Amino acid sequence: MTMWAWAGETGRQLRAAGQDELAEAVTALPELSEAGDAVKVEALARSAIRTARRLVAEAAKGDNAVAPAVPASVPGVFGPPTLFFLAHWPLAVRVGALAEGRRALEQARAAAEDEPAPHEYGPLPVSALETLVRCHANIDARGTTDQRRELLSARRLSGWESTPAWPTFTLARVHLLIDEGQADRAEAELRRYEHTATGPAVLGAGGIFALVRALRYQDRHADALDALDRMEAELGLGEAEPGGPANPRRTALRRMIRFERARLLSWLVRLGLCDARRAIGLLPTVEEAETYPKLRSAWVEAVENLVCQGSVRNDWRLGVRVTTWSRYFERVGAPRRGAELALAATRLASGRGARWVAECSAQRAERLIRDLGAAEEIIGDLVEVRSMVRGMKSIQPMAPAAGILEFLRAQPAEEVNPEEQAEQVNVALTAQPHDSALLSALGQVGRTLMLSDAATEPQWRHVREQPGDQRAALSLLETLLHDNDTAGVRNLVRTLAAGALQPESAPVSAHRAS
């Protein structure tokens, strides 16, 4: 029995017990998790757990009034496996669809440590141990293989073989092989299941996506596309759904297929083996990628391939999006994905001549790569983009430093390019590093480009030297608040408070204000 089969059967038993709310939660939570709806997952799980615990408590009291709610025909349906199942999904959706890494690591470790033996209360349908493995993969897929191999060892997985959670462990081992550079062995493992009576049914859609990944890592993109086509046909995902509410899992699977197909086709376009119009027609919208963090890397890879062919416009708005996503992965503790997107942002910025953005993105990639293991390949990518940045033309000022802001404000709205503005402001700051108006302008354009963390560096230098400059302090505060940098805000408060205790700070402020 798979997890999906367990959820369906448990849902039927709960409905037979008159607990429609719990039945709906059991069947909907894995679907909503796969669809990436973290808010609904959290709310539904909390409500269902409260209901289930209340029923268990009432049944334990021996109250005849609630006896019909727990009939003898469904023993254990309100027991620990169901409670563990309901509690599993809020963390699972964070590690799954939201692709969180270190931000979720301690919680994932605690959940795995508190998890009972797989058969202690009856076969567990899901496992916090698998969530922990996935969390490590999010942090650094290539650099955490040793930790994941230990977690997936025969000793750790003893007893799980006969539970509904076992297929997820099987797929975790397949992805581990890919990350260890053994994509051919991963494919062979998946093909072995294809030729058994229950294999395809057990591994399901997850098995197909794992196979697609194994084939892509072997540069067999056409074979991977064939696998996606077969999956779509076998699951009937291309057919119109009958009347009634849409099944969120079908919608999620369609979405994942489109993202993967776009990534594969874009590479074939880059090789000259596919018409670019076909890939562009299948490319998901940027709003979809924004909504589903797990799929962002596929979208960026597809777009970068199409940019290289001149099929997609490479402008500052694309740079903002890729930078935003790189910073997201940095924030949730997934440094490898963050570094990969920062490298993509550097290459794209270099291609459109945006030197400051390219330099900032390369610096972010370098910072994130320091946290990675097995980093030889990605360090090579960093060396390559560093060479690209060094080869870019130096920035020429469009006006003298004292008049650059007036010059930029006079530009027609349709000609405004925030990346160019940032470069001009930075050039002017080299001549006037403590000009409050320039520092404020850098903060503003940095926020537009989602490079506010880079913009704060010259702002911080000025505020530390001249804490009495209220305009500069307010501009820095606005930048920190834009980034939700609470630590930075606290640091600014301490810096300003310390500056206020210095007798000379007031005259400096008065002089600057004049």
Side-chain angles (χ1 to χ4, degrees), residues 70-153:
V70 192
S73 60
V74 284
V77 74
F78 296 105
T82 301
L83 289 172
F84 278 113
F85 184 85
L86 296 173
H88 171 80
W89 296 104
L91 180 59
V93 72
R94 288 174 55 197
V95 174
L98 301 189
E100 292 189 16
R102 290 198 181 100
R103 177 189 279 181
L105 184 59
E106 288 308 313
Q107 188 176 346
R109 278 177 177 155
E113 289 171 0
D114 293 342
E115 188 168 67
H119 290 277
E120 185 174 346
Y121 302 104
L124 290 180
V126 290
S127 173
L129 180 60
E130 188 272 334
T131 301
L132 177 58
V133 171
R134 192 180 302 193
C135 191
H136 279 295
N138 287 347
I139 293 170
D140 183 4
R142 294 287 182 97
T144 60
T145 53
D146 289 343
Q147 296 97 311
R148 288 152 60 201
R149 182 156 292 285
E150 194 282 326
L151 292 172
L152 295 171
S153 65

Side-chain angles (χ1 to χ4, degrees), residues 2-283:
T2 66
M3 179 276 293
W4 294 100
W6 182 95
E9 177 60 27
T10 302
R12 284 189 291 272
Q13 292 180 347
L14 286 166
R15 285 190 178 89
Q19 295 298 326
D20 291 343
E21 179 187 350
L22 281 179
E24 175 64 21
V26 166
T27 55
L29 278 171
E31 293 179 348
L32 291 171
S33 180
E34 193 161 83
D37 199 332
V39 174
K40 283 187 178 178
V41 167
E42 179 72 26
L44 185 58
R46 284 178 180 272
S47 175
I49 290 170
R50 282 196 300 267
T51 301
R53 286 175 175 167
R54 174 177 56 80
L55 289 169
V56 170
E58 290 173 350
K61 294 177 182 177
D63 188 344
N64 292 331
V66 300
V70 192
S73 60
V74 284
V77 74
F78 296 105
T82 301
L83 289 172
F84 278 113
F85 184 85
L86 296 173
H88 171 80
W89 296 104
L91 180 59
V93 72
R94 288 174 55 197
V95 174
L98 301 189
E100 292 189 16
R102 290 198 181 100
R103 177 189 279 181
L105 184 59
E106 288 308 313
Q107 188 176 346
R109 278 177 177 155
E113 289 171 0
D114 293 342
E115 188 168 67
H119 290 277
E120 185 174 346
Y121 302 104
L124 290 180
V126 290
S127 173
L129 180 60
E130 188 272 334
T131 301
L132 177 58
V133 171
R134 192 180 302 193
C135 191
H136 279 295
N138 287 347
I139 293 170
D140 183 4
R142 294 287 182 97
T144 60
T145 53
D146 289 343
Q147 296 97 311
R148 288 152 60 201
R149 182 156 292 285
E150 194 282 326
L151 292 172
L152 295 171
S153 65
R155 176 183 61 82
R156 294 294 296 267
L157 298 188
S158 177
W160 285 102
E161 301 89 340
S162 55
T163 68
W166 182 247
T168 62
F169 286 116
T170 301
L171 292 177
R173 283 174 159 173
V174 167
H175 285 294
L176 176 61
L177 286 172
I178 297 173
D179 293 330
E180 289 177 330
Q182 303 182 76
D184 53 342
R185 280 191 57 193
E187 181 195 357
E189 181 73 10
L190 292 165
R191 298 291 189 193
R192 183 169 64 85
Y193 279 91
E194 282 186 341
H195 300 293
T196 64
T198 60
V202 168
L203 296 182
I208 300 297
F209 286 120
L211 176 62
V212 168
R213 183 169 183 245
L215 293 169
R216 179 165 57 82
Y217 271 69
Q218 297 177 72
D219 292 324
R220 293 165 56 191
H221 293 71
D223 292 340
L225 282 168
D226 290 341
L228 286 177
D229 291 341
R230 288 197 306 273
M231 173 186 181
E232 193 168 36
E234 290 171 4
L235 297 180
L237 296 177
E239 303 170 2
E241 293 186 5
N247 184 325
R249 188 177 186 225
R250 288 171 61 88
T251 303
L253 290 175
R254 284 198 192 100
R255 182 185 308 114
M256 292 173 67
I257 288 173
R258 281 192 294 113
F259 274 82
E260 279 299 330
R261 188 174 278 141
R263 170 158 54 185
L264 295 166
L265 284 173
S266 72
W267 182 250
L268 295 179
V269 169
R270 194 165 181 174
L271 296 178
L273 301 175
C274 176
D275 187 346
R277 287 172 295 183
R278 183 183 174 198
I280 293 171
L282 289 171
L283 186 67

Side-chain angles (χ1 to χ4, degrees), residues 4 29 79 129 152 244 252 292 297 375 424 429 432 446 469 498:
W4 294 100
L29 278 171
L129 180 60
L152 295 171
Y292 304 100
S297 296
Q424 290 300 312
L429 278 169
Q432 299 179 326
D469 188 339

